[in-house]
Amino acid sequence: MSLFSPPNQNPNFGTSLMTLIMAFILQSHSQSQHQPSWSKKPGSLKRCKTAPAMAVMRDLKPKTPQVPKPQSESSSIIRQAVFLLSIYLILGVVIYSFNRDEFSGIETHPVVDALYFCIVTMCTIGYGDIAPLTPATKIFACVFVLVGFGFIDILLSGVVNYVLDLQENMILTGIQMEKSQQGFSARDYIVDVDKGRMRIRLKVGLALGVVVLCIGIGSLILYFVESLDWVDSIYLSVMSVTTVGYGDRAFKTLPGRLFAGVWLLISTLAVARAFLYLAEARVNKRHRRIAKWVLHRDITIEDLLAADINNNGFISKSEYVIYKLKEMGKVREKDILQICNQFSKLDTNNSGKITLPDLLKYQM
């Protein structure tokens, strides 16, 4: 009989086949031992013929298009902010210029006064030196200031964040290039290089530094251009950047209003960002305190029962991690349920794991 005849006709088929396989393995092992290690070329490994063809797998197209990963929208927000802000200011300047008699206040130049009025209105400062008189201009002012709130939000979330992110990336790049591998330096106190971000205390310090710089520049301009004394210069500068604007002091000269058009917009945004960073610092401090308490407290029977998701009488490592993250407030029950539902869709056989056939079946 032939060696490769069907098993029911050759009872020694299994024994002969195993003998051939063992001989092939021993021969391959002997050749690999006699072959010097230096003779192996990198990249000489070849794919097993029984392995899945990855080229064929890549050609498989999913039934639904893949959802793209969310990208940073800072650049698009900046373009939108510049475009919409230009339209906003041009519209305000045109309406003010053609209705100058319906506004009260000291006049310097029609375009400069209009731009100054638009910036003061958008930043919600309200000096009161230029104010609408007629019902039509008052309605225009109401709409103008409400729309201005939207631009402040766009500028605050887009432009300011983009500039601060650039500064943060530059600082992190410089520190990573110069970081030594030994000891703890002062830069480690303000920058978390491992996480790739500045610590919140540095962000607060930079934001407050920008606020102090804006107040200082405004005080100097008010002192030398508007001819105010030092006390009134600092007073008006602080009242302006904090958008209080009592109205007892204001910019009255042409150069002063030109400067105010740019300075008020930058300084008010910087102050708003500084207060947001202060609030973020307090929230982060509270989160760190809660996390420290969660990690150092002893687990109780109630914790074991609550963390036992599978109800099998013990806690696995994954269940323990999920329970601690929930206790720290880093994840919510709703988020976990959504992830579990997504896993159930991929696990078509309800085997508790996702295999390659399951993934291919889901994509077909």
Side-chain angles (χ1 to χ4, degrees), residues 336-346:
I336 298 175
L337 292 177
Q338 291 177 351
I339 296 174
C340 291
N341 291 335
Q342 184 66 22
F343 183 89
S344 300
K345 292 179 182 179
L346 296 174

Side-chain angles (χ1 to χ4, degrees), residues 133-204:
L133 297 176
T134 63
T137 54
K138 290 180 180 179
I139 294 176
F140 160 73
C142 293
V143 176
F144 204 69
V145 70
L146 291 176
V147 176
F149 277 137
F151 286 108
I152 290 295
D153 177 69
I154 294 175
L155 292 172
L156 189 61
S157 61
V159 179
V160 177
N161 283 347
Y162 179 75
V163 174
L164 292 176
D165 288 342
L166 286 179
Q167 293 178 349
E168 181 176 352
N169 292 333
M170 291 175 61
I171 294 175
L172 289 174
T173 302
I175 290 178
Q176 288 174 350
M177 293 176 63
E178 301 176 0
K179 180 177 175 60
S180 60
Q181 301 297 330
Q182 299 177 354
F184 181 85
S185 60
R187 63 169 61 97
D188 296 325
Y189 181 76
I190 59 177
V191 178
D192 193 343
V193 181
D194 296 333
K195 294 183 180 180
R197 65 185 183 186
M198 291 193 302
R199 300 187 188 275
I200 188 62
R201 62 177 67 93
L202 180 60
K203 291 184 178 181
V204 173

Side-chain angles (χ1 to χ4, degrees), residues 184-252:
F184 181 85
S185 60
R187 63 169 61 97
D188 296 325
Y189 181 76
I190 59 177
V191 178
D192 193 343
V193 181
D194 296 333
K195 294 183 180 180
R197 65 185 183 186
M198 291 193 302
R199 300 187 188 275
I200 188 62
R201 62 177 67 93
L202 180 60
K203 291 184 178 181
V204 173
L206 288 177
L208 293 178
V210 173
V211 172
V212 174
L213 180 62
C214 291
I215 293 175
I217 293 176
S219 301
L220 291 175
I221 296 298
L222 288 169
Y223 179 78
F224 289 105
V225 176
E226 295 291 330
S227 300
L228 299 178
D229 57 31
W230 283 112
V231 175
D232 288 340
S233 299
I234 297 175
Y235 164 77
L236 180 57
S237 181
V238 173
M239 293 302 107
S240 299
V241 299
T242 54
T243 69
V244 176
Y246 287 127
D248 53 342
R249 294 287 188 274
F251 292 87
K252 298 180 180 179

Side-chain angles (χ1 to χ4, degrees), residues 266-279:
I266 297 175
S267 59
T268 52
L269 291 175
V271 170
R273 176 53 57 181
F275 282 118
L276 289 177
Y277 280 151
L278 287 173

